[in-house]
Amino acid sequence: MTESGAKKRSNLINVGRITTVFGVKGWVKVHSDTQPRENICSYNPWWLKTRHGVKSVEIDDFKPHGDALVVHIKGIDDRDEAREICQVDVAVERQQMPDLEEGDYYWHQLQGLRVVTVFEGNDQDLGTVTRLLETGANDVLVVKGDANSIDQKERLIPYVPDQFVVKIDLEQQSITVDWDPEF
C-alpha cells in the first residue's frame, strides 16, 4: 500500500470496554474482547479512548466476575475517579498482539477489507467488512455495500474458511467469498 493511496491505520487496537464502576475503592467492570477474556489483563499499558483523548493506564489487579472482569487501575482509588473512565474503549498497541498461526486473523485485520464473491463463476464486489459478529457456531462478517459494490445492501456472511471464505489477501486488502449475492 502506498501512503498516498491508503488510509493510515491506527497503532491502537480495541480489546475491550470499561462499562461501569464496581464497589467504592476504584474498581471497574470490563468487557473483554480477548479469548480467553483474562488475556486483556496481560497487556500493559492499556490505552483508554476517552472523550478528552487517549490516556495510558496500568492495571494492578483483576478478578473474573460473571461474564466480565473487575479491574483495578493503578492510581484510581475511589468510585468517583473510576466513574470518569467508564464507557470508554480499552486499546493496546498493535505490536503487543501475539503473532497468529498462518490462516488465523484478528478481527481488526479483516475490518475494512473489500469482499468479492465468486459465486457461480461471476466475480462481484459486495462491499467492505464493517465489523464481525460472534454467534457461537461461527463468526459472521458484516459486509456493507458502497459506491463500488453491486448494491448498497448489508450482508451477513458466515466466516467459514473453505466453505464460504475462499481467500484472504491482506496485502490486496481483500476477501474472496463464495456467497450468493442475493442473500
Side-chain angles (χ1 to χ4, degrees), residues 5-67:
K7 252 193 325 191
K8 184 171 175 171
R9 293 180 76 122
S10 170
N11 186 43
L12 297 178
I13 305 299
N14 288 358
V15 292
R17 186 167 178 83
I18 297 176
T19 57
T20 190
V21 294
F22 183 82
V24 295
K25 296 188 178 187
W27 288 70
V28 291
K29 193 169 182 182
V30 174
H31 169 79
S32 172
D33 293 330
T34 64
Q35 289 191 15
R37 70 174 177 235
E38 292 84 6
N39 280 3
I40 192 173
C41 297
S42 67
Y43 296 112
N44 189 30
W46 279 5
W47 294 91
L48 304 184
K49 295 181 172 181
T50 72
R51 66 179 181 259
H52 303 293
V54 180
K55 174 183 179 179
S56 174
V57 298
E58 291 183 36
I59 306 301
D60 59 12
D61 203 0
F62 73 94
K63 301 173 198 166
H65 184 76
D67 63 352

Side-chain angles (χ1 to χ4, degrees), residues 147-166:
N148 297 317
S149 62
I150 60 171
D151 56 31
Q152 301 294 306
K153 278 185 175 177
E154 182 176 85
R155 291 176 174 82
L156 303 178
I157 302 175
Y159 183 80
V160 182
D162 301 325
Q163 183 177 356
F164 301 119
V165 177
V166 177

